[in-house]
């Protein structure tokens, strides 16, 4: 066991190093292109995407570790922003955009309930019944009016991160959302109102132990959440690195946290991915916003989406976003092409996470065999025991499940880095 642990610690460190280099290489915004003023010139009529992502950037207070675009709440500005959001929704749907699901993230999505309700009702009026997932802060279920959203939201995703009071204090969430017992009460309220509840947890904090992770998972099981999603505290690239390192514990402990969550949850939940667990009654798909190869169209300031091999980036200025909507109807301002190699690495991560790297399926996606497209990556995974060769591809080992979890953390770091880079763009 010690040998496996030491091997994973070494390989995990090498993986972090390699991912940092690849993130900077693939996701820097040198050579980023302006999107033309005509929607149909950049997004063909009847474009079909999996997810419409809507970003609500307002918060009453700002969390230390959150890298999403967010600003302090100003009611007058927020009202104008929601009005612009609905104009953009009307515009892109009228222009032919089609989607299967809606994901609403933030920021604090519920900061103006009436405006959120109007926005969801508009979408359902324009496209009919569509699956809607929405993020929420825990305290909303005490201080807000969540009953106003009943029947409109299919899945409520609640960011808890941990029920431990010391971790909540260290991350600034204790003062903002309350103690662990209060968080449990809030989730109990949500559980009685919405058909599907997801609870988000995070591993890798300073002071976080195996027992604390197990306790968090046991509480989540008792709360009967339909889905539990676990995140590694991302390692940070560029200006985000120092901020995230202030919160991070010993990187070597991440494997033990991962194993503790897995062993605690698998008796009661089925594991969809190394970071996602579902109970048997869950009726909704895992939300994958720009993950698992899904296409996504982003709406709102600070949003971005992915269609095929291109990221579309909206302005990170709320005032400029409102101006863009009023002048041309949509907020996407820049586009960034994604290299074939970066897409192939993403496909490799998702196949590793699903338990099998299928050569035929990979070749169908990329046009190349695994050995031609990613020889170094396959050699690395084989040498560290993350995969074993089988007919038609490779099978993920227990060690490989953890490496997929680490790679998922790298994906999140990449998205954080992309947002950080986008803040420096000029949205003229």
């Amino acid at each position: 066991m010690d040998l496996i642990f030491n091997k994973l610690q070494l390989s995990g460190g090498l993986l972090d190093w390699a991912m940092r280099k690849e993130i900077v290489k693939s996701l820097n915004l040198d050579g980023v292109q302006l999107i033309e003023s005509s929607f149909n010139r950049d997004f063909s009529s009847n474009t079909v995407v999996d997810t419409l992502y809507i970003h609500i950037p307002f918060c009453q207070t700002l969390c230390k570790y959150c890298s999403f675009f967010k600003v302090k709440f100003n009611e007058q500005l927020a009202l104008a922003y929601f009005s612009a959001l609905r104009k953009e929704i009307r515009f892109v749907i009228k222009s032919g955009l089609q989607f299967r699901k809606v994901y609403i993230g933030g920021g604090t999505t519920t900061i103006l309930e009436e405006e959120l309700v109007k926005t969801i009702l508009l979408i359902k009026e324009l496209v009919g019944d569509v699956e809607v997932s929405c993020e929420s802060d825990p305290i909303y279920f005490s201080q807000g009016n969540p009953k106003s959203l009943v029947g409109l939201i299919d899945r409520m995703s609640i960011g808890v991160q941990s029920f431990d009071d010391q971790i909540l204090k260290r991350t600034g969430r204790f003062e903002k959302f309350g103690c662990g017992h209060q968080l449990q009460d809030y989730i109990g309220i949500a559980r009685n109102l919405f058909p599907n509840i997801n609870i988000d947890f995070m591993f890798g904090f300073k002071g976080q132990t195996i027992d604390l992770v197990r306790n968090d998972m046991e509480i989540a099981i008792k709360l009967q959440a339909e889905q539990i999603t676990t995140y590694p505290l991302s390692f940070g690239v560029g200006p985000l690195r120092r901020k995230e390192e202030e919160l991070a514990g010993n990187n070597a402990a991440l494997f033990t946290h991962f194993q503790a969550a897995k062993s605690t949850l698998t008796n009661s939940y089925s594991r969809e991915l190394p970071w996602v667990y579902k109970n048997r009654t869950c009726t909704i798909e895992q939300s994958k916003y720009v993950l698992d190869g899904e296409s996504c169209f982003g709406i709102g300031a600070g949003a971005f989406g992915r269609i095929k091999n291109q990221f579309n980036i909206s302005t990170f200025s709320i005032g400029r976003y409102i101006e863009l909507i009023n002048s041309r109807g949509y907020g996407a301002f820049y586009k960034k092409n994604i290299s074939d190699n970066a897409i192939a690495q993403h496909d490799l991560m998702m196949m590793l996470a699903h338990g099998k790297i299928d050569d035929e399926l990979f070749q169908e996606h990329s046009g190349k065999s695994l050995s031609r497209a990613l020889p170094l990556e396959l050699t690395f995974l084989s040498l560290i025991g993350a995969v074993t060769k089988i007919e038609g591809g490779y099978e993920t080992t227990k060690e490989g499940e953890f490496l997929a979890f680490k790679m998922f953390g790298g994906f999140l770091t990449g998205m954080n880095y992309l947002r950080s880079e986008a803040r420096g763009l000029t949205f003229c």
Side-chain angles (χ1 to χ4, degrees), residues 3 32 48 95 103 113 122 159 165 170 195 224 229 239 247 250 257 270 311 316 343 364 367 376 425:
L3 181 62
V32 71
V48 180
S95 299
Y103 189 92
E113 287 165 327
L122 174 65
D165 288 350
R170 203 168 290 127
Q224 299 181 322
T229 306
L247 296 171
N250 182 356
H257 295 171
S270 59
F311 278 121
F316 277 62
I343 292 173
E364 186 181 310
L376 292 176
L425 292 174

Side-chain angles (χ1 to χ4, degrees), residues 1 104 119 167 222 373 422:
M1 182 66 187
I104 305 169
T119 304
I167 291 174
K222 288 176 185 175

Side-chain angles (χ1 to χ4, degrees), residues 56-74 106-109 111 137-140 143 168 171-178:
I56 315 295
F58 300 96
C59 289
Q60 295 286 5
T61 56
L62 307 179
C63 292
K64 295 178 185 177
Y65 57 85
C66 177
S67 67
F68 285 87
F69 174 58
K70 57 201 178 296
V71 297
K72 290 279 282 184
F73 176 64
N74 174 295
T108 305
T109 60
I111 203 148
D137 291 330
I139 203 166
Y140 169 67
Q143 297 182 349
L168 293 172
T171 56
R173 295 178 66 86
F174 186 92
E175 297 80 3
K176 187 175 179 181
F177 302 128

Side-chain angles (χ1 to χ4, degrees), residues 138-139 142 163 165 168 174 177-189:
I139 203 166
S142 170
F163 289 115
D165 288 350
L168 293 172
F174 186 92
F177 302 128
C179 70
H181 289 296
Q182 288 173 304
L183 298 184
Q184 294 173 50
D185 291 341
Y186 302 153
I187 291 169
I189 294 169

Side-chain angles (χ1 to χ4, degrees), residues 77-362:
L77 185 62
L79 286 168
Y81 180 80
F82 270 100
S83 178
L85 273 182
R86 290 191 289 273
K87 286 180 183 177
E88 184 173 19
I89 289 166
R90 285 186 182 277
F91 180 86
V92 297
I93 291 174
K94 185 179 178 181
S95 299
L97 182 73
Q98 300 175 42
F99 47 88
R100 294 192 304 114
K101 299 178 292 186
V102 176
Y103 189 92
I104 305 169
T108 305
T109 60
T110 54
I111 203 148
L112 285 176
E113 287 165 327
E114 289 185 11
E115 296 299 310
L116 180 60
V117 168
K118 284 182 194 175
T119 304
I120 298 171
L121 286 173
L122 174 65
I123 294 169
K124 291 181 179 285
E125 174 193 323
L126 294 175
V127 302
D129 194 25
V130 63
E131 181 184 295
V132 178
S133 296
C134 185
E135 295 175 357
S136 178
D137 291 330
I139 203 166
Y140 169 67
F141 301 98
S142 170
Q143 297 182 349
N145 180 27
K147 289 181 180 178
S148 65
L149 298 171
V150 171
L152 298 177
I153 292 175
D154 301 286
R155 196 265 306 268
M156 191 65 83
S157 185
I158 305 169
V160 168
Q161 316 319 341
S162 176
F163 289 115
D164 178 68
D165 288 350
Q166 293 308 311
I167 291 174
L168 293 172
K169 288 175 182 177
R170 203 168 290 127
T171 56
R173 295 178 66 86
F174 186 92
E175 297 80 3
K176 187 175 179 181
F177 302 128
C179 70
H181 289 296
Q182 288 173 304
L183 298 184
Q184 294 173 50
D185 291 341
Y186 302 153
I187 291 169
I189 294 169
R191 183 70 185 78
N192 291 328
L193 293 175
F194 298 97
N196 291 283
I197 296 295
N198 171 73
I199 306 178
D200 287 341
F201 290 97
M202 196 170 280
F203 304 151
F205 289 117
K206 281 180 184 173
Q208 197 169 31
T209 65
I210 294 172
D211 288 341
L212 289 179
V213 170
R214 285 200 184 107
N215 188 58
D216 280 345
M217 299 304 106
E218 286 167 359
I219 292 170
I221 292 169
K222 288 176 185 175
L223 290 169
Q224 299 181 322
E226 279 75 19
Q227 182 172 299
I228 296 170
T229 306
T230 60
Y231 295 88
L233 184 65
S234 54
F235 46 74
V237 173
L240 296 171
R241 186 169 181 175
R242 180 178 293 177
K243 180 177 75 170
E244 289 172 355
E245 285 179 346
E246 287 174 2
L247 296 171
N250 182 356
N251 191 40
L254 190 62
F255 174 65
T256 61
H257 295 171
F258 173 79
Q259 289 291 88
K262 177 183 169 183
S263 63
T264 307
L265 290 172
T266 47
N267 288 333
S268 304
Y269 285 70
S270 59
R271 193 160 55 97
E272 299 286 302
L273 292 166
W275 53 88
V276 178
Y277 299 81
K278 282 186 183 178
N279 73 18
R280 275 71 181 178
T281 63
C282 186
T283 59
I284 202 165
E285 284 187 51
Q286 173 211 355
S287 174
K288 304 170 185 172
Y289 174 43
V290 197
L291 193 59
D292 211 359
E294 286 203 346
S295 54
C296 168
F297 190 91
I299 280 182
F304 58 86
R306 172 188 163 186
I307 299 175
K308 296 181 180 176
N309 67 337
Q310 179 180 299
F311 278 121
N312 304 308
I313 304 164
S314 294
T315 174
F316 277 62
S317 161
I318 292 173
R320 184 63 180 128
Y321 170 74
I322 293 169
E323 289 174 7
L324 283 169
I325 300 308
N326 290 333
S327 65
R328 71 179 194 179
Y330 68 102
F333 201 84
Y334 283 107
K335 55 187 176 185
K336 160 73 176 176
N337 291 327
I338 312 166
S339 70
D340 290 343
N341 189 63
I343 292 173
Q345 288 173 336
H346 183 272
D347 289 344
L348 177 69
M349 175 189 78
M350 292 311 304
M351 288 184 176
L352 188 70
H354 281 293
K356 182 184 178 184
I357 304 173
D358 187 303
D359 199 0
E360 185 177 341
L361 182 60
F362 183 90

